[in-house]
Amino acid sequence: PGWAGITRQSVACMHLLLAVAASALQGARVEVATAAQLRSIGLMRTVVFRPELTSSRQRQLQSRAFVDAMKRKTSVLVALVGERVMGSADLLVEDVGAWGTASYVVNVCVRDEARRQGLGRRLVQSAEQRGVDEGAEAMVLHVDVDNAAARRLYEAMGYVELDAQSSLGAHFTGDDFVGGADGASPPSAPQLLMAKPLVAGAALSLPASPPPSSPLPAPPPPAPPSPSL
């Protein structure tokens, strides 16, 4: 065949391969990761979150940092096609004092070839259900302000912007929760805090509790009686 025929055949083969890949991703299973899977998840996150690392030594150290961070989470969710790790997300369940219990999802990560196939949505949905199972009343997350695609996804899933000064928002604001705390690259854009109620009646915007006031000074002791003349 001529070049035109070869080109048409190549395009048809490419479309077929993409269709097969998409079909496989539809059958991906999302489950709670085992300890034995953390290393593979750490390697995948290193490729996705830290592509600037070029040496095997750098990647190994970064992968170990991710694994150490995952061990501190309530749960790690993994998306698998066969036994290959295609995506993951971390879940942290926190006691937010008088507000109640809330969950926080972070490090939602999908391989480049698995994006735009609904895998990120499934990971977040699985994290929500896991949060409910752990007694959480809301899910909280951070997203880059300029990541329009991610923001549209979360808004479609029912997430709304959360006031960082509210009782719930204040708990999840700071270095422990903003992107980059787990060894990933620090966020290159401002982060937006978003939340979604997981149970009916969960109030996301309760004002933060005021700091405890200092106790009033004790009154001075009564003056001694005057001596009799």
Side-chain angles (χ1 to χ4, degrees):
W3 284 111
I6 293 174
T7 301
R8 285 195 296 271
Q9 290 176 3
S10 298
V11 170
C13 288
M14 183 178 297
H15 287 167
L16 177 61
L17 289 173
L18 289 174
V20 170
S23 176
L25 288 172
Q26 292 302 316
R29 64 189 192 277
V30 177
E31 58 194 36
V32 177
T34 64
Q37 291 170 326
L38 297 187
R39 182 175 180 274
S40 295
I41 297 171
L43 291 171
M44 184 267 298
R45 288 185 181 179
T46 299
V47 171
V48 174
F49 286 146
R50 300 299 304 272
E52 76 280 6
L53 300 181
T54 55
S55 75
S56 58
R57 177 64 175 167
Q58 288 176 320
R59 291 181 177 180
Q60 185 181 44
L61 291 174
Q62 178 61 77
S63 177
R64 288 178 182 173
F66 282 134
V67 170
D68 289 342
M70 283 186 272
K71 291 177 180 178
R72 298 192 294 269
K73 299 300 189 295
T74 304
S75 300
V76 178
L77 299 167
V78 59
L80 298 166
V81 173
E83 296 305 316
R84 187 179 186 222
V85 174
M86 301 304 293
S88 66
D90 294 342
L91 180 71
L92 194 63
V93 177
E94 292 274 298
D95 179 3
V96 192
W99 189 91
T101 302
S103 51
Y104 179 77
V105 63
V106 65
N107 294 328
V108 179
C109 177
V110 176
R111 288 187 186 273
D112 287 348
E113 64 267 32
R115 292 181 179 175
R116 299 181 179 85
Q117 302 294 329
L119 207 52
R121 177 189 289 267
R122 289 181 59 195
L123 284 163
V124 175
Q125 289 173 333
S126 295
E128 291 173 356
Q129 184 56 56
R130 188 74 179 172
V132 171
D133 294 343
E134 295 282 347
E137 301 168 66
M139 177 70 83
V140 182
L141 56 83
H142 279 94
V143 62
D144 285 353
V145 170
D146 61 359
N147 190 339
R151 289 179 63 178
R152 283 195 299 270
L153 169 63
Y154 294 135
E155 288 168 358
M157 295 180 69
Y159 286 83
V160 296
E161 185 173 351
L162 180 62
D163 182 0
Q165 302 303 314
S166 66
S167 179
L168 184 60
H171 182 87
F172 290 100
T173 301
D175 293 340
D176 288 342
F177 295 101
V178 177
D182 280 349
S185 299
S188 57
Q191 299 272 292
L192 179 68
L193 194 61
M194 303 186 78
K196 173 184 177 178
L198 297 180
V199 297
L204 301 180
S205 58
L206 291 177
S209 300
S213 56
S214 301
L216 295 175
S226 301
S228 299
L229 295 176

